[in-house]
Amino acid sequence: MPHIVSIFTHFSNQQNSLTCIQRLAEQLRRPDNILIINNCTDENDDTAQRAHELATQLMGEGILHIIQMESNLGNAGGCARGLDYAFHQLKADFVWVLDDDSWPRAESLAALCAQEVNTNTIRMSMVIDPSRGDELSWPLSCRSTESEPWQHIAKRKLLPSGNIISSRGGWLGALYPRAAWQRAGLPTEELFIRGEDEEYPWKLRHAGFNFITLRNSPLEHPSSKGALIEYRLPNGHSFFYEPGLHISRVYYKNRNWAWLQRLAQPRLIQTPLRLLACGAYIACSLSAMIYSNEMGIKRIYQLFRALHNGFYGKLRPY
């Protein structure tokens, strides 16, 4: 039996983290260890103690591990430390990446383990929002056959048929094998949030891995507060805007997107293409801000600041 460690970061919501432990204890195939990366430095936060008590009560001694961060490293930074700890210290064969507010159903991990794959295929849970009738929490980049182009699908009913869906990868719900850590390293800590979901799969695809998402491995996670605004672009790609997102999260999302464009197109000759992409991104963002009544000086400033920093490879914090 492979040794599986489930990891997630904790920052402020104690009940979310305790619920996640509860759900992991209910798995038909339990993880061998649970690792919490504690980004909270509040001395009055007793989550570590309560988490140990709950995990011991439900699963026994020694299952839960907690590593305390010196400061809030965000999800990217925390999980980068967590991946390294799980593979290096806990000798994991696989790491299942969750978040404190992503809760697997009882069959989720068992379904991932039951799906036979080759050594270069990474299995992922399907991330859904139960408050919206198990609709996708966010768009899934997928395709039906290798000859078809990749598409961002926002509605579950529009996904390719069958249990196994060829996808472009992701972060939340991924069951990463030890070989991923060995060949692609870790996510970039400075991404903080809203970046590891694209950057790490990009690294893994370039290391020779592919991804599949499994319908029968549901992972509950809340979706955007407002209905996503989608613009279909002439190149076949889609732009999505999330109304109601806190401006700091918008900053990191925009900065990390521009940084990833630089990572994917590093040559000087490709600079005009990146400039064109940033121009289209700005136009779509401003249009979506107007449509959702979120146009404001601060948001406009942070949009340009984020894209400027990412374009020039500067992962400056919000």
Side-chain angles (χ1 to χ4, degrees):
M1 290 280 287
H3 186 98
I4 299 176
V5 177
S6 179
I7 71 171
F8 64 89
T9 58
H10 165 78
F11 178 60
S12 62
N13 195 315
Q14 182 180 99
Q15 190 54 54
N16 277 353
S17 294
L18 296 179
T19 301
C20 194
I21 292 173
Q22 176 79 43
R23 289 293 191 92
L24 287 169
E26 294 170 356
Q27 292 298 294
L28 299 178
R29 196 298 192 192
R30 284 181 176 175
D32 299 280
N33 290 110
I34 300 170
L35 173 63
I36 299 177
I37 305 96
N38 190 6
N39 276 325
C40 179
T41 56
D42 183 356
E43 294 181 358
N44 297 319
D45 183 81
D46 65 346
T47 299
Q49 177 185 342
R50 293 197 58 189
H52 273 297
E53 291 172 353
L54 180 62
T56 300
Q57 174 190 342
L58 296 176
M59 293 176 284
E61 293 279 358
I63 299 297
L64 180 68
H65 295 255
I66 298 177
I67 53 177
Q68 178 64 49
M69 297 296 98
E70 64 276 12
S71 61
N72 180 17
L73 302 183
N75 193 63
C79 281
R81 302 284 181 92
L83 275 175
D84 199 49
Y85 186 93
F87 284 123
H88 190 259
Q89 300 295 332
L90 300 180
K91 309 301 180 185
D93 296 307
F94 292 89
V95 170
W96 193 25
V97 177
L98 304 179
D99 203 351
D100 59 354
D101 60 349
S102 65
W103 305 332
R105 293 180 180 169
E107 69 273 20
S108 298
L109 184 55
L112 290 177
C113 294
Q115 181 61 54
E116 294 185 4
V117 294
N118 61 42
T119 55
N120 290 326
T121 298
I122 296 171
R123 294 160 285 187
M124 295 190 57
S125 297
M126 180 171 287
V127 185
I128 57 173
D129 185 350
S131 71
R132 298 173 55 230
D134 287 355
E135 187 55 90
L136 295 176
S137 296
W138 47 63
L140 179 65
S141 181
C142 61
R143 62 184 179 185
S144 299
T145 65
E146 291 188 5
S147 61
E148 293 183 355
W150 294 102
Q151 297 184 63
H152 280 89
I153 304 297
K155 299 293 184 181
R156 191 170 180 177
K157 65 181 181 181
L158 301 178
L159 291 173
S161 61
N163 183 51
I164 303 173
I165 300 171
S166 178
S167 57
R168 291 276 284 172
W171 178 252
L172 191 61
L175 186 64
Y176 289 124
R178 170 173 285 269
W181 171 67
Q182 293 171 329
R183 286 157 54 181
L186 299 168
T188 300
E189 289 190 13
E190 292 79 10
L191 291 172
F192 195 70
I193 56 173
R194 297 271 170 162
E196 68 281 7
D197 54 336
E198 293 189 24
E199 185 244 11
Y200 200 52
W202 183 88
K203 285 183 177 180
L204 289 167
R205 291 196 302 271
H206 283 76
F209 290 93
N210 56 74
F211 293 79
I212 58 171
T213 297
L214 301 178
R215 285 181 183 270
N216 66 347
S217 176
L219 180 63
E220 298 177 5
H221 186 78
S223 54
S224 176
K225 293 180 180 179
L228 286 176
I229 298 172
E230 178 182 6
Y231 295 129
R232 287 281 182 179
L233 305 178
N235 61 1
H237 295 169
S238 292
F239 171 89
F240 291 95
Y241 184 85
E242 298 178 65
L245 200 62
H246 190 275
I247 192 170
S248 63
R249 291 182 173 272
V250 176
Y251 169 78
Y252 285 115
K253 177 183 178 181
N254 295 339
R255 184 204 66 176
N256 295 341
W257 174 86
W259 183 85
L260 189 60
Q261 300 305 304
R262 180 185 179 91
L263 189 68
Q265 302 179 90
R267 293 184 299 166
L268 184 62
I269 196 173
Q270 295 171 313
T271 302
L273 294 176
R274 290 195 290 117
L275 278 171
L276 185 62
C278 282
Y281 196 96
I282 290 169
C284 290
S285 295
L286 294 176
S287 175
M289 285 181 193
I290 294 172
Y291 181 82
S292 57
N293 198 29
E294 291 188 342
M295 181 69 79
I297 297 295
K298 190 173 182 180
R299 282 189 179 268
I300 295 173
Y301 168 71
Q302 290 298 346
L303 170 64
F304 281 89
R305 174 175 175 257
L307 294 180
H308 175 274
N309 287 342
F311 186 87
Y312 287 103
K314 308 294 184 182
L315 291 177
R316 296 188 178 102
Y318 174 74

mmCIF file of all heavy atoms in Angstrom, residues 22-64:
data_model
loop_
_atom_site.group_PDB
_atom_site.id
_atom_site.type_symbol
_atom_site.label_atom_id
_atom_site.label_comp_id
_atom_site.label_asym_id
_atom_site.label_seq_id
_atom_site.Cartn_x
_atom_site.Cartn_y
_atom_site.Cartn_z
ATOM 1 N N GLN A 22 -12.019 16.013 10.172
ATOM 2 C CA GLN A 22 -13.167 15.117 10.309
ATOM 3 C C GLN A 22 -13.446 14.388 9.005
ATOM 4 O O GLN A 22 -13.655 13.161 8.983
ATOM 5 C CB GLN A 22 -14.396 15.933 10.730
ATOM 6 C CG GLN A 22 -15.693 15.138 10.830
ATOM 7 C CD GLN A 22 -15.807 14.331 12.098
ATOM 8 O OE1 GLN A 22 -15.473 14.825 13.177
ATOM 9 N NE2 GLN A 22 -16.256 13.089 11.987
ATOM 10 N N ARG A 23 -13.446 15.122 7.895
ATOM 11 C CA ARG A 23 -13.718 14.504 6.586
ATOM 12 C C ARG A 23 -12.620 13.513 6.207
ATOM 13 O O ARG A 23 -12.903 12.470 5.598
ATOM 14 C CB ARG A 23 -13.832 15.592 5.525
ATOM 15 C CG ARG A 23 -15.084 16.445 5.621
ATOM 16 C CD ARG A 23 -16.344 15.625 5.317
ATOM 17 N NE ARG A 23 -17.510 16.472 5.158
ATOM 18 C CZ ARG A 23 -17.927 16.957 3.998
ATOM 19 N NH1 ARG A 23 -17.274 16.657 2.882
ATOM 20 N NH2 ARG A 23 -18.990 17.736 3.935
ATOM 21 N N LEU A 24 -11.386 13.825 6.529
ATOM 22 C CA LEU A 24 -10.296 12.903 6.215
ATOM 23 C C LEU A 24 -10.411 11.624 7.035
ATOM 24 O O LEU A 24 -10.082 10.534 6.560
ATOM 25 C CB LEU A 24 -8.940 13.584 6.454
ATOM 26 C CG LEU A 24 -8.574 14.646 5.416
ATOM 27 C CD1 LEU A 24 -7.369 15.454 5.883
ATOM 28 C CD2 LEU A 24 -8.274 13.996 4.068
ATOM 29 N N ALA A 25 -10.891 11.754 8.252
ATOM 30 C CA ALA A 25 -11.093 10.570 9.092
ATOM 31 C C ALA A 25 -12.208 9.680 8.558
ATOM 32 O O ALA A 25 -12.230 8.470 8.831
ATOM 33 C CB ALA A 25 -11.405 10.990 10.525
ATOM 34 N N GLU A 26 -13.132 10.253 7.794
ATOM 35 C CA GLU A 26 -14.271 9.498 7.245
ATOM 36 C C GLU A 26 -13.955 8.840 5.903
ATOM 37 O O GLU A 26 -14.814 8.148 5.337
ATOM 38 C CB GLU A 26 -15.469 10.447 7.076
ATOM 39 C CG GLU A 26 -16.016 10.982 8.399
ATOM 40 C CD GLU A 26 -17.034 12.089 8.211
ATOM 41 O OE1 GLU A 26 -17.262 12.489 7.039
ATOM 42 O OE2 GLU A 26 -17.581 12.572 9.210
ATOM 43 N N GLN A 27 -12.751 9.022 5.395
ATOM 44 C CA GLN A 27 -12.402 8.451 4.102
ATOM 45 C C GLN A 27 -12.433 6.928 4.121
ATOM 46 O O GLN A 27 -11.972 6.291 5.077
ATOM 47 C CB GLN A 27 -11.006 8.918 3.679
ATOM 48 C CG GLN A 27 -10.901 10.398 3.352
ATOM 49 C CD GLN A 27 -11.772 10.778 2.187
ATOM 50 O OE1 GLN A 27 -11.556 10.364 1.056
ATOM 51 N NE2 GLN A 27 -12.790 11.584 2.461
ATOM 52 N N LEU A 28 -12.970 6.342 3.061
ATOM 53 C CA LEU A 28 -12.953 4.883 2.930
ATOM 54 C C LEU A 28 -11.524 4.366 2.845
ATOM 55 O O LEU A 28 -11.221 3.270 3.316
ATOM 56 C CB LEU A 28 -13.751 4.469 1.687
ATOM 57 C CG LEU A 28 -15.231 4.860 1.689
ATOM 58 C CD1 LEU A 28 -15.884 4.439 0.373
ATOM 59 C CD2 LEU A 28 -15.952 4.227 2.876
ATOM 60 N N ARG A 29 -10.675 5.170 2.228
ATOM 61 C CA ARG A 29 -9.240 4.891 2.244
ATOM 62 C C ARG A 29 -8.603 6.122 2.913
ATOM 63 O O ARG A 29 -8.402 7.156 2.294
ATOM 64 C CB ARG A 29 -8.705 4.714 0.822
ATOM 65 C CG ARG A 29 -7.324 4.038 0.677
ATOM 66 C CD ARG A 29 -6.197 4.774 1.315
ATOM 67 N NE ARG A 29 -4.892 4.248 0.915
ATOM 68 C CZ ARG A 29 -3.750 4.566 1.517
ATOM 69 N NH1 ARG A 29 -3.739 5.398 2.549
ATOM 70 N NH2 ARG A 29 -2.612 4.055 1.091
ATOM 71 N N ARG A 30 -8.286 5.976 4.186
ATOM 72 C CA ARG A 30 -7.737 7.100 4.921
ATOM 73 C C ARG A 30 -6.307 7.408 4.496
ATOM 74 O O ARG A 30 -5.547 6.489 4.142
ATOM 75 C CB ARG A 30 -7.723 6.803 6.423
ATOM 76 C CG ARG A 30 -9.059 6.886 7.118
ATOM 77 C CD ARG A 30 -8.867 6.583 8.594
ATOM 78 N NE ARG A 30 -10.096 6.736 9.351
ATOM 79 C CZ ARG A 30 -10.213 6.444 10.636
ATOM 80 N NH1 ARG A 30 -9.154 5.964 11.300
ATOM 81 N NH2 ARG A 30 -11.362 6.619 11.268
ATOM 82 N N PRO A 31 -5.919 8.691 4.536
ATOM 83 C CA PRO A 31 -4.494 8.989 4.358
ATOM 84 C C PRO A 31 -3.709 8.428 5.536
ATOM 85 O O PRO A 31 -4.232 8.303 6.657
ATOM 86 C CB PRO A 31 -4.456 10.523 4.337
ATOM 87 C CG PRO A 31 -5.698 10.950 5.051
ATOM 88 C CD PRO A 31 -6.731 9.897 4.764
ATOM 89 N N ASP A 32 -2.456 8.077 5.301
ATOM 90 C CA ASP A 32 -1.635 7.525 6.375
ATOM 91 C C ASP A 32 -1.199 8.599 7.360
ATOM 92 O O ASP A 32 -0.964 8.319 8.535
ATOM 93 C CB ASP A 32 -0.417 6.822 5.771
ATOM 94 C CG ASP A 32 -0.828 5.681 4.864
ATOM 95 O OD1 ASP A 32 -1.143 4.602 5.389
ATOM 96 O OD2 ASP A 32 -0.868 5.880 3.637
ATOM 97 N N ASN A 33 -1.058 9.818 6.848
ATOM 98 C CA ASN A 33 -0.757 10.962 7.704
ATOM 99 C C ASN A 33 -1.506 12.183 7.204
ATOM 100 O O ASN A 33 -1.828 12.283 6.010
ATOM 101 C CB ASN A 33 0.743 11.289 7.720
ATOM 102 C CG ASN A 33 1.578 10.258 8.433
ATOM 103 O OD1 ASN A 33 2.336 9.529 7.808
ATOM 104 N ND2 ASN A 33 1.461 10.187 9.751
ATOM 105 N N ILE A 34 -1.778 13.094 8.124
ATOM 106 C CA ILE A 34 -2.317 14.412 7.783
ATOM 107 C C ILE A 34 -1.296 15.436 8.230
ATOM 108 O O ILE A 34 -0.778 15.362 9.361
ATOM 109 C CB ILE A 34 -3.665 14.671 8.486
ATOM 110 C CG1 ILE A 34 -4.702 13.623 8.072
ATOM 111 C CG2 ILE A 34 -4.178 16.076 8.167
ATOM 112 C CD1 ILE A 34 -5.981 13.679 8.896
ATOM 113 N N LEU A 35 -0.999 16.379 7.361
ATOM 114 C CA LEU A 35 -0.030 17.426 7.680
ATOM 115 C C LEU A 35 -0.691 18.789 7.536
ATOM 116 O O LEU A 35 -1.191 19.136 6.461
ATOM 117 C CB LEU A 35 1.189 17.325 6.747
ATOM 118 C CG LEU A 35 2.217 18.451 6.848
ATOM 119 C CD1 LEU A 35 2.858 18.476 8.237
ATOM 120 C CD2 LEU A 35 3.298 18.299 5.768
ATOM 121 N N ILE A 36 -0.712 19.545 8.620
ATOM 122 C CA ILE A 36 -1.228 20.912 8.591
ATOM 123 C C ILE A 36 -0.051 21.873 8.603
ATOM 124 O O ILE A 36 0.843 21.763 9.452
ATOM 125 C CB ILE A 36 -2.149 21.195 9.791
ATOM 126 C CG1 ILE A 36 -3.362 20.262 9.786
ATOM 127 C CG2 ILE A 36 -2.611 22.652 9.776
ATOM 128 C CD1 ILE A 36 -4.274 20.450 10.989
ATOM 129 N N ILE A 37 -0.058 22.806 7.666
ATOM 130 C CA ILE A 37 0.946 23.868 7.662
ATOM 131 C C ILE A 37 0.286 25.083 8.291
ATOM 132 O O ILE A 37 -0.644 25.662 7.728
ATOM 133 C CB ILE A 37 1.428 24.192 6.231
ATOM 134 C CG1 ILE A 37 1.946 22.923 5.546
ATOM 135 C CG2 ILE A 37 2.513 25.255 6.273
ATOM 136 C CD1 ILE A 37 0.930 22.235 4.673
ATOM 137 N N ASN A 38 0.729 25.447 9.472
ATOM 138 C CA ASN A 38 0.067 26.496 10.247
ATOM 139 C C ASN A 38 0.681 27.862 9.931
ATOM 140 O O ASN A 38 1.764 28.196 10.416
ATOM 141 C CB ASN A 38 0.170 26.186 11.745
ATOM 142 C CG ASN A 38 -0.711 27.097 12.582
ATOM 143 O OD1 ASN A 38 -1.486 27.888 12.048
ATOM 144 N ND2 ASN A 38 -0.595 26.997 13.890
ATOM 145 N N ASN A 39 -0.038 28.646 9.131
ATOM 146 C CA ASN A 39 0.410 29.993 8.800
ATOM 147 C C ASN A 39 0.012 31.022 9.849
ATOM 148 O O ASN A 39 0.381 32.191 9.751
ATOM 149 C CB ASN A 39 -0.187 30.421 7.449
ATOM 150 C CG ASN A 39 0.625 29.919 6.272
ATOM 151 O OD1 ASN A 39 1.846 29.829 6.331
ATOM 152 N ND2 ASN A 39 -0.048 29.573 5.180
ATOM 153 N N CYS A 40 -0.775 30.588 10.833
ATOM 154 C CA CYS A 40 -1.265 31.510 11.858
ATOM 155 C C CYS A 40 -0.208 31.656 12.960
ATOM 156 O O CYS A 40 0.269 30.660 13.505
ATOM 157 C CB CYS A 40 -2.579 31.012 12.444
ATOM 158 S SG CYS A 40 -3.246 32.077 13.735
ATOM 159 N N THR A 41 0.139 32.890 13.296
ATOM 160 C CA THR A 41 1.124 33.138 14.354
ATOM 161 C C THR A 41 0.484 33.773 15.583
ATOM 162 O O THR A 41 1.182 34.257 16.473
ATOM 163 C CB THR A 41 2.248 34.050 13.837
ATOM 164 O OG1 THR A 41 1.679 35.276 13.332
ATOM 165 C CG2 THR A 41 3.028 33.381 12.722
ATOM 166 N N ASP A 42 -0.846 33.779 15.642
ATOM 167 C CA ASP A 42 -1.568 34.317 16.789
ATOM 168 C C ASP A 42 -1.378 33.383 17.992
ATOM 169 O O ASP A 42 -1.754 32.219 17.943
ATOM 170 C CB ASP A 42 -3.052 34.460 16.447
ATOM 171 C CG ASP A 42 -3.874 35.080 17.562
ATOM 172 O OD1 ASP A 42 -3.297 35.339 18.651
ATOM 173 O OD2 ASP A 42 -5.084 35.296 17.363
ATOM 174 N N GLU A 43 -0.796 33.899 19.053
ATOM 175 C CA GLU A 43 -0.525 33.074 20.230
ATOM 176 C C GLU A 43 -1.806 32.558 20.885
ATOM 177 O O GLU A 43 -1.782 31.571 21.614
ATOM 178 C CB GLU A 43 0.298 33.867 21.245
ATOM 179 C CG GLU A 43 1.706 34.203 20.756
ATOM 180 C CD GLU A 43 2.496 34.970 21.792
ATOM 181 O OE1 GLU A 43 1.924 35.259 22.870
ATOM 182 O OE2 GLU A 43 3.675 35.281 21.533
ATOM 183 N N ASN A 44 -2.922 33.237 20.632
ATOM 184 C CA ASN A 44 -4.188 32.825 21.229
ATOM 185 C C ASN A 44 -4.918 31.767 20.403
ATOM 186 O O ASN A 44 -5.958 31.269 20.818
ATOM 187 C CB ASN A 44 -5.099 34.048 21.420
ATOM 188 C CG ASN A 44 -4.518 35.059 22.391
ATOM 189 O OD1 ASN A 44 -3.965 34.683 23.429
ATOM 190 N ND2 ASN A 44 -4.618 36.338 22.064
ATOM 191 N N ASP A 45 -4.373 31.442 19.243
ATOM 192 C CA ASP A 45 -5.011 30.441 18.398
ATOM 193 C C ASP A 45 -4.619 29.043 18.890
ATOM 194 O O ASP A 45 -3.438 28.691 18.909
ATOM 195 C CB ASP A 45 -4.569 30.626 16.939
ATOM 196 C CG ASP A 45 -5.256 29.648 16.009
ATOM 197 O OD1 ASP A 45 -6.407 29.911 15.641
ATOM 198 O OD2 ASP A 45 -4.641 28.618 15.664
ATOM 199 N N ASP A 46 -5.610 28.272 19.296
ATOM 200 C CA ASP A 46 -5.339 26.936 19.844
ATOM 201 C C ASP A 46 -5.677 25.829 18.848
ATOM 202 O O ASP A 46 -5.959 24.694 19.257
ATOM 203 C CB ASP A 46 -6.103 26.727 21.153
ATOM 204 C CG ASP A 46 -7.619 26.736 20.965
ATOM 205 O OD1 ASP A 46 -8.086 27.166 19.887
ATOM 206 O OD2 ASP A 46 -8.336 26.312 21.896
ATOM 207 N N THR A 47 -5.647 26.156 17.555
ATOM 208 C CA THR A 47 -6.015 25.177 16.539
ATOM 209 C C THR A 47 -5.125 23.940 16.585
ATOM 210 O O THR A 47 -5.607 22.819 16.430
ATOM 211 C CB THR A 47 -5.964 25.813 15.143
ATOM 212 O OG1 THR A 47 -6.888 26.901 15.086
ATOM 213 C CG2 THR A 47 -6.322 24.796 14.070
ATOM 214 N N ALA A 48 -3.819 24.136 16.796
ATOM 215 C CA ALA A 48 -2.901 22.993 16.816
ATOM 216 C C ALA A 48 -3.304 22.002 17.908
ATOM 217 O O ALA A 48 -3.373 20.788 17.665
ATOM 218 C CB ALA A 48 -1.471 23.472 17.033
ATOM 219 N N GLN A 49 -3.601 22.512 19.086
ATOM 220 C CA GLN A 49 -4.004 21.627 20.192
ATOM 221 C C GLN A 49 -5.315 20.919 19.884
ATOM 222 O O GLN A 49 -5.423 19.699 20.067
ATOM 223 C CB GLN A 49 -4.144 22.449 21.474
ATOM 224 C CG GLN A 49 -4.620 21.634 22.671
ATOM 225 C CD GLN A 49 -4.857 22.499 23.899
ATOM 226 O OE1 GLN A 49 -4.380 23.626 23.986
ATOM 227 N NE2 GLN A 49 -5.611 21.959 24.856
ATOM 228 N N ARG A 50 -6.300 21.661 19.409
ATOM 229 C CA ARG A 50 -7.602 21.059 19.125
ATOM 230 C C ARG A 50 -7.523 20.074 17.964
ATOM 231 O O ARG A 50 -8.201 19.049 17.951
ATOM 232 C CB ARG A 50 -8.626 22.152 18.834
ATOM 233 C CG ARG A 50 -8.954 23.023 20.039
ATOM 234 C CD ARG A 50 -10.236 23.788 19.840
ATOM 235 N NE ARG A 50 -11.357 22.895 19.597
ATOM 236 C CZ ARG A 50 -12.562 23.311 19.215
ATOM 237 N NH1 ARG A 50 -12.781 24.611 19.013
ATOM 238 N NH2 ARG A 50 -13.545 22.459 19.004
ATOM 239 N N ALA A 51 -6.688 20.392 16.978
ATOM 240 C CA ALA A 51 -6.525 19.484 15.837
ATOM 241 C C ALA A 51 -5.901 18.169 16.282
ATOM 242 O O ALA A 51 -6.328 17.083 15.851
ATOM 243 C CB ALA A 51 -5.669 20.151 14.766
ATOM 244 N N HIS A 52 -4.885 18.238 17.148
ATOM 245 C CA HIS A 52 -4.262 17.019 17.663
ATOM 246 C C HIS A 52 -5.265 16.189 18.459
ATOM 247 O O HIS A 52 -5.316 14.960 18.325
ATOM 248 C CB HIS A 52 -3.058 17.374 18.544
ATOM 249 C CG HIS A 52 -1.786 17.534 17.782
ATOM 250 N ND1 HIS A 52 -1.205 16.493 17.078
ATOM 251 C CD2 HIS A 52 -0.961 18.604 17.623
ATOM 252 C CE1 HIS A 52 -0.080 16.921 16.511
ATOM 253 N NE2 HIS A 52 0.082 18.183 16.819
ATOM 254 N N GLU A 53 -6.066 16.853 19.269
ATOM 255 C CA GLU A 53 -7.062 16.140 20.074
ATOM 256 C C GLU A 53 -8.080 15.430 19.185
ATOM 257 O O GLU A 53 -8.420 14.265 19.418
ATOM 258 C CB GLU A 53 -7.776 17.129 21.010
ATOM 259 C CG GLU A 53 -6.874 17.671 22.115
ATOM 260 C CD GLU A 53 -7.552 18.785 22.900
ATOM 261 O OE1 GLU A 53 -8.664 19.215 22.500
ATOM 262 O OE2 GLU A 53 -6.967 19.237 23.902
ATOM 263 N N LEU A 54 -8.562 16.140 18.160
ATOM 264 C CA LEU A 54 -9.565 15.549 17.268
ATOM 265 C C LEU A 54 -8.977 14.405 16.464
ATOM 266 O O LEU A 54 -9.601 13.340 16.332
ATOM 267 C CB LEU A 54 -10.121 16.629 16.339
ATOM 268 C CG LEU A 54 -11.195 16.173 15.343
ATOM 269 C CD1 LEU A 54 -12.428 15.654 16.083
ATOM 270 C CD2 LEU A 54 -11.569 17.306 14.395
ATOM 271 N N ALA A 55 -7.795 14.612 15.892
ATOM 272 C CA ALA A 55 -7.178 13.567 15.073
ATOM 273 C C ALA A 55 -6.868 12.320 15.887
ATOM 274 O O ALA A 55 -7.059 11.192 15.426
ATOM 275 C CB ALA A 55 -5.906 14.117 14.415
ATOM 276 N N THR A 56 -6.402 12.518 17.118
ATOM 277 C CA THR A 56 -6.106 11.377 17.991
ATOM 278 C C THR A 56 -7.381 10.617 18.337
ATOM 279 O O THR A 56 -7.412 9.380 18.339
ATOM 280 C CB THR A 56 -5.412 11.854 19.279
ATOM 281 O OG1 THR A 56 -4.185 12.513 18.934
ATOM 282 C CG2 THR A 56 -5.104 10.683 20.193
ATOM 283 N N GLN A 57 -8.441 11.362 18.614
ATOM 284 C CA GLN A 57 -9.722 10.740 18.940
ATOM 285 C C GLN A 57 -10.270 9.932 17.770
ATOM 286 O O GLN A 57 -10.779 8.824 17.947
ATOM 287 C CB GLN A 57 -10.721 11.828 19.334
ATOM 288 C CG GLN A 57 -12.143 11.325 19.554
ATOM 289 C CD GLN A 57 -13.134 12.468 19.710
ATOM 290 O OE1 GLN A 57 -12.759 13.598 19.979
ATOM 291 N NE2 GLN A 57 -14.410 12.170 19.508
ATOM 292 N N LEU A 58 -10.141 10.460 16.551
ATOM 293 C CA LEU A 58 -10.752 9.819 15.389
ATOM 294 C C LEU A 58 -9.854 8.771 14.726
ATOM 295 O O LEU A 58 -10.351 7.789 14.173
ATOM 296 C CB LEU A 58 -11.115 10.884 14.347
ATOM 297 C CG LEU A 58 -12.170 11.918 14.768
ATOM 298 C CD1 LEU A 58 -12.339 12.958 13.673
ATOM 299 C CD2 LEU A 58 -13.503 11.240 15.063
ATOM 300 N N MET A 59 -8.532 8.982 14.790
ATOM 301 C CA MET A 59 -7.631 8.122 14.003
ATOM 302 C C MET A 59 -6.466 7.546 14.782
ATOM 303 O O MET A 59 -5.720 6.722 14.249
ATOM 304 C CB MET A 59 -7.099 8.922 12.796
ATOM 305 C CG MET A 59 -8.167 9.268 11.779
ATOM 306 S SD MET A 59 -7.539 10.320 10.419
ATOM 307 C CE MET A 59 -7.458 11.897 11.259
ATOM 308 N N GLY A 60 -6.265 7.995 15.995
ATOM 309 C CA GLY A 60 -5.171 7.456 16.799
ATOM 310 C C GLY A 60 -3.961 8.371 16.831
ATOM 311 O O GLY A 60 -3.872 9.364 16.109
ATOM 312 N N GLU A 61 -3.007 8.001 17.680
ATOM 313 C CA GLU A 61 -1.791 8.783 17.851
ATOM 314 C C GLU A 61 -0.898 8.735 16.610
ATOM 315 O O GLU A 61 -0.847 7.729 15.905
ATOM 316 C CB GLU A 61 -0.992 8.252 19.044
ATOM 317 C CG GLU A 61 -1.651 8.458 20.388
ATOM 318 C CD GLU A 61 -1.438 9.856 20.924
ATOM 319 O OE1 GLU A 61 -0.742 10.649 20.264
ATOM 320 O OE2 GLU A 61 -1.986 10.152 22.005
ATOM 321 N N GLY A 62 -0.218 9.833 16.366
ATOM 322 C CA GLY A 62 0.827 9.860 15.356
ATOM 323 C C GLY A 62 0.374 10.112 13.936
ATOM 324 O O GLY A 62 1.218 10.208 13.030
ATOM 325 N N ILE A 63 -0.932 10.241 13.697
ATOM 326 C CA ILE A 63 -1.415 10.461 12.330
ATOM 327 C C ILE A 63 -1.206 11.913 11.911
ATOM 328 O O ILE A 63 -0.780 12.198 10.795
ATOM 329 C CB ILE A 63 -2.917 10.094 12.220
ATOM 330 C CG1 ILE A 63 -3.137 8.622 12.558
ATOM 331 C CG2 ILE A 63 -3.435 10.408 10.809
ATOM 332 C CD1 ILE A 63 -2.452 7.665 11.624
ATOM 333 N N LEU A 64 -1.485 12.833 12.825
ATOM 334 C CA LEU A 64 -1.437 14.259 12.499
ATOM 335 C C LEU A 64 -0.066 14.852 12.791
ATOM 336 O O LEU A 64 0.524 14.609 13.847
ATOM 337 C CB LEU A 64 -2.494 15.020 13.301
ATOM 338 C CG LEU A 64 -2.555 16.530 13.053
ATOM 339 C CD1 LEU A 64 -3.060 16.828 11.647
ATOM 340 C CD2 LEU A 64 -3.435 17.218 14.091
#
